[in-house]
Each structure stands twice: as structure tokens, then as C-alpha cells.
Amino acid sequence: MIRSLASTCRRALREPGAWVVGASAILYACVLVPHWRPTWDSATYIALARSLVAGDGYTYMGYDHTKYPPGFPLLLAPIVGVFGPNFLLMRGLVAGCAVASVAAAYALIRRAAGPWVAAAAAAMTAASYALLFESTRILSDVPYMLVSLLALLAAERLREARSWRRLAGVAALCVAAYLVRIVGFTVAVAVAISLVADAPRIPLRKAARDAAVVLVALAAVAAVWMGRNALVTNELPPTLREALSYEAELVATDPSHPHTGTLSWPALRARLATNARYYATLTALLLTSKRSPAWWLALVVIAGWALTGIRGATAAEWYFAGYVAVYILWPAHQGERFLVPVLPFIFYYALAALTAIGALVARVATAPTSRRPLAESATAAVLAAAFVLAGAREVGVRVRTERRDPYYQGVMRDYIAALAWLREASAPDAVIVTNRAPYGVLWAERPTYTVPWVADHAEILASIRANGATHAVTNSYTQRYLGPVVDANPGVFRPIAEIGSTRVYEIVRAGP
């Protein structure tokens, strides 16, 4: 047994991907710290995990939660249940998913392009400032990246040798991807297309049956989730930003405004054009480690995707196209975050286009046919090395930022301190109103609401009254909506604490 293990280790070490994954593990361990990197969604996920552990069901502040599917909160729940809000372990979970994603990307791309191109794409993924940054946040994007890559890898293994066991595994992974992020439905659709596309190599009836199993499994779970959401009645007030569902966000002209109209065709065309430019620019920044926003660089990725598809499209090519299409349609912009789950493909397709040029040069130079794969591998290795070196500064900045002391600084330090103060100083039935409401749920452990994002002071005061708020917290984050209302109504908001730049008020009365 020991001899067999040693042989396995030697084989693994001969894989260039093993060295990439090992280096990635060291790098991502450097950004593990026992602090929470603040984001709205992250606080919500942790609150949902806490509700699951407490036996309150899938609820947020007692309301049935209908926006985020339960996959990621379920991953967090064991940590919360055993260790409480241990941010080091939660961040370790996300960082571990990032390293595992690098390994999964290598294994997937290796099947289509060989070990050196796969190792180059994996190294670029691991060294990307975007993935390193997202791995510091307790969000679902990186775990989703891992599950989706595993689903695509399992689908390719199924295409090689069909069996009910493998088919069940693929269906389960597709469902898991959907439950971690709704956009995961694109994985199941891509897998189904690739399975059907195997005809006539595989009898059409069998190919269609396998695709149907995957789609039916997804449809069944989606129907349960959406049906449950349609039946619940205990939901957050609809004018609040935290209550906006994905469905409402997609069809809204302006999702930030609670009274926005339904998306029109001219507005849809404008959104598509804006998003195409936006993501093309982000892709260029990813490819150049923030050195160039030239949108045309995204054409290199598109060319590589097309070239790979012509050579032999797999589920990955269908998935990439579907995933990108969803976010070109989506109204929300959150920087590179939404591109992180497909980072390996962005780098792989860029390499596919550029290594094809290397192979063409070798052909023009009348190099022997046997050396052309070597030219592609060498080109990929040189490009990956150049990318890693070019991005080393961004990587260093991120590591230093995560290891700063004190971790919380400026307004965020004061904000968290004020919410922690309220946890100790307010009554158990206190209700808070502020911006970034989930922060209050997490740190003050009290129900916390935003206000409608409108200019009408009367509507904001009415919302505060309807939600039964007893305390308000203001700072530079609240200066657009809540802050002006507090300043204009000193008879309603009585100051009781000032912690740095953050002020805490007791609400005397929320209206006339």
C-alpha cells in the first residue's frame, strides 16, 4: 500500500498542474485571517446559516427568505453550528474552494488541450487578482465556481463512458450548482446540449434520455424552490432593496428604485449594449492584470472560444456562452465578481487563440509536425509566466491588505463598533434602521432594515414607522437616503452615541 501511494505521488508530481495547485495553496493561505470582509450579501448568507442552525428554518430576521438559494448557507451552517461565527473557518472554506477550483480547471482543460496549456490556464487563474480578492469574501461565487467545474468535468467523463452511476453524479452536481447560485441552471443546459450533441456516436435515443435526466432533475429542484417562494407570505416589505427578488431585478428598468417600471425593449437594448462594453472592459483588465481596459482584447477570448468550439465543442464551451449571456442581460454590476466563476475559461480561450498563432508560426517556419505541440506548450508557458509576473504587484497588495493591523479602519471600523455597541446597549426587542442592513443583523444581532431608496422624506419616515424601528445608525454610507431624513427631523431622532464617524440615534417617534 505504501509503495502504491509513493508511486501515485510520483505520478502526480510529474504533472505540471500539481505544482500549480501546490503554489496556489500557499498563496491562498496567505490571505486567511480571522476577520470578516464586509459585504451585504456575505452578512445575509451568514445570517441565513445562523437561522438554519437555530432551527428557525430558511429565514432572515424571521422572514421567509426567497432570494438566495440555500446551497451556500447550508455549507456555512456546520461551521456556524459548531464554532459560531468563525470568520477564519468560513474564509478557509472559500479559499479552499478556490484552490480546489484551480485543480478542477486543470483537470478539465487538460482533457482538451494537454497538460502545459492546462497548467498555464490554471496558473493564470490562481494568480488573478480577481479570484484572490473574491477568496477573501464569504460569498457563493467561489464555491459555485468549484461545483460548476466539477459538474463539467463529470459530464466529460460521462461522455467518455456512459453509465447510470456517472449520469446520477452529473445530475447531482448540476443541481448543486443551481442551489449554490441560480445561474447554475446554465451548467445543466450546457451539459444536456453536449450529451445530445454526441449523437450519432451515441444513439440519439440514449443521448436524449441522458440529457432529459439532467434537465428533469434540475427542473424538479427548481420547481420546489420556486414553488416554495411563490407560496410563502411572510416576506420582507417589498419597497426595501434587500427584499428585491432576482426575477424582479431582471425585469426592472432601475432595480435600485422601489417604484421602477417594467423593462421596455429600448431599455433592454441599452442594457445589453452597456453590459457588453462593461464586461469586455473587465475582461481586458483581467487579461492584463489591470494594465489595459481596451475592450477589443475581449475579442481574443471570443476567438479562442470559437476556435475551441470548431475543434470540438464540449459542455464547457456551451456553458461559457450561456453564462456570459446571462450576465450581459443582468442589470447589476459588481466588478469582476460575476466573471470569477468562468475565469479559467477566459484564460484558456485567450491561450487557445494565442497558442494557435504560435503553432501557425511554427508551420510557416516549416517546423516538423511533431514539434508544433511543443510550440503551443512553450507559448502557453511563456504567456502564463508573463501574466504571473505582471500581476505579482496586485497579488502582493492584496496579501498586505488582508494582513493589515488593525483590520477594520476608518468608517467601517466605526460602523462595526457602533453596531456591536448596540448589541450590548439596546433591548433584545430593539429594531435598527441603517444602510447596509445585513451588517446590523450580523453585528448587532437585531432586526435591521434599510429604507426605501427614494428622495421622499415622508415615505422614508413611513417605512421606519411601519417596521417598528427603535434605533437609527448613520455615517457616510447613509448620506443619500436615511441621513438627510435624520438631520431634518431632530424631534424624531435623539442622538445617544457617537463612535468615530458613526452616530447612533434613538427613535422617539417615526412620524407626526
Side-chain angles (χ1 to χ4, degrees):
M1 180 177 177
I2 295 177
R3 186 176 300 173
S4 176
L5 179 61
S7 176
T8 301
C9 291
R10 283 195 298 271
R11 285 198 303 271
L13 291 175
R14 285 197 293 268
E15 286 283 337
W19 295 94
V20 172
V21 173
S24 302
I26 295 171
L27 171 61
Y28 282 75
C30 292
V31 295
L32 281 182
V33 295
H35 303 289
W36 176 63
R37 170 165 282 280
T39 76
W40 180 301
D41 292 351
S42 177
T44 305
Y45 283 127
I46 296 170
L48 289 168
R50 197 161 56 190
S51 293
L52 289 170
V53 169
D56 297 329
Y58 198 56
T59 61
Y60 172 77
M61 299 196 310
Y63 296 96
D64 292 310
H65 187 73
T66 59
K67 184 169 187 175
Y68 306 133
F72 187 52
L74 285 170
L75 287 176
L76 296 177
I79 295 174
V80 174
V82 176
F83 302 99
N86 189 309
F87 300 127
L88 178 63
L89 292 179
M90 294 184 200
R91 289 180 61 152
L93 170 67
V94 176
C97 287
V99 175
S101 294
V102 172
Y106 172 77
L108 179 62
I109 297 170
R110 190 188 193 285
R111 303 171 74 89
W116 288 101
V117 172
M124 294 169 76
T125 300
S128 171
Y129 67 88
L131 180 58
L132 190 63
F133 176 66
E134 289 306 322
S135 297
T136 67
R137 310 206 287 182
I138 305 169
L139 294 172
S140 62
D141 305 82
V142 177
Y144 166 75
M145 177 184 183
L146 174 60
V147 178
S148 61
L149 287 170
L150 290 176
L152 294 171
L153 183 58
E156 290 310 302
R157 294 184 66 230
L158 174 63
R159 293 178 65 198
E160 286 181 353
R162 306 255 177 157
S163 72
W164 281 108
R165 182 179 178 181
R166 289 188 175 187
L167 180 60
V170 170
L173 286 168
C174 288
V175 167
Y178 172 81
L179 289 175
V180 176
R181 287 191 69 80
I182 292 294
V183 73
F185 79 88
T186 55
V187 179
V189 173
V191 168
I193 293 173
S194 69
L195 292 175
V196 171
D198 279 342
R201 181 177 66 84
I202 300 295
L204 179 59
R205 184 175 179 179
K206 183 178 181 180
R209 180 206 65 192
D210 292 349
V213 168
V214 173
L215 293 178
V216 168
L218 174 71
V221 172
V224 170
W225 169 245
M226 297 174 70
R228 174 259 187 192
N229 293 347
L231 293 175
V232 300
T233 56
N234 181 29
E235 297 183 72
L236 281 162
T239 57
L240 304 185
R241 187 64 176 85
E242 58 265 42
L244 188 66
S245 68
Y246 284 132
E247 295 82 1
E249 186 174 348
L250 178 63
V251 301
T253 300
D254 179 10
S256 297
H257 196 285
H259 307 300
T260 185
T262 302
L263 188 68
S264 63
W265 285 111
L268 176 59
R269 288 195 296 270
R271 178 191 293 181
L272 294 175
T274 298
N275 286 354
R277 289 192 298 270
Y278 178 79
Y279 286 109
T281 300
L282 286 183
T283 300
L285 292 172
L286 288 169
L287 291 174
T288 61
S289 288
K290 292 187 177 180
R291 280 172 166 73
S292 173
W295 64 266
W296 58 265
L297 289 171
L299 297 176
V300 176
V301 177
I302 295 173
W305 171 80
L307 180 62
T308 304
I310 292 171
R311 289 174 176 172
T314 67
E317 281 66 62
W318 294 109
Y319 167 63
F320 182 78
Y323 183 94
V324 171
V326 167
Y327 282 107
I328 288 180
L329 180 62
W330 203 253
H333 294 162
Q334 295 194 24
E336 293 88 345
R337 176 187 171 188
F338 290 155
L339 292 180
V340 162
V342 292
L343 269 180
F345 302 116
I346 290 174
F347 292 126
Y348 167 47
Y349 295 137
L351 287 171
L354 296 174
T355 55
I357 295 175
L360 181 61
V361 170
R363 179 176 297 179
V364 171
T366 65
T369 304
S370 60
R371 292 189 179 182
R372 289 172 191 167
L374 178 62
E376 292 186 1
S377 298
T379 303
V382 169
L383 290 171
F387 178 86
V388 171
L389 291 174
R393 181 178 177 278
E394 287 292 334
V395 169
V397 168
R398 175 51 46 203
V399 172
R400 289 192 296 273
T401 299
E402 291 306 311
R403 306 200 73 83
R404 67 188 181 272
D405 186 28
Y407 189 79
Y408 300 113
Q409 301 178 9
V411 179
M412 186 56 65
R413 174 198 58 209
D414 302 336
Y415 197 16
I416 291 175
L419 293 171
W421 180 84
L422 273 172
R423 183 179 65 238
E424 303 300 327
S426 65
D429 60 350
V431 178
I432 303 170
V433 61
T434 186
N435 193 15
R436 309 191 183 197
Y439 292 20
V441 178
L442 178 62
W443 287 102
E445 298 181 5
R446 301 289 187 271
T448 307
Y449 298 87
T450 58
V451 295
W453 291 1
V454 297
D456 187 345
H457 286 199
E459 182 174 353
I460 291 175
L461 284 170
S463 174
I464 294 172
R465 181 172 60 249
N467 292 325
T470 60
H471 295 80
V473 179
T474 67
N475 50 33
S476 60
Y477 299 146
T478 64
Q479 61 186 355
R480 185 171 182 184
Y481 300 111
L482 177 61
V485 173
V486 172
D487 294 340
N489 294 273
V492 176
F493 301 93
R494 181 172 66 86
I496 59 173
E498 185 170 341
I499 301 175
S501 60
T502 296
R503 294 182 178 182
V504 181
Y505 298 83
E506 182 182 18
I507 299 176
V508 180
R509 55 187 180 86

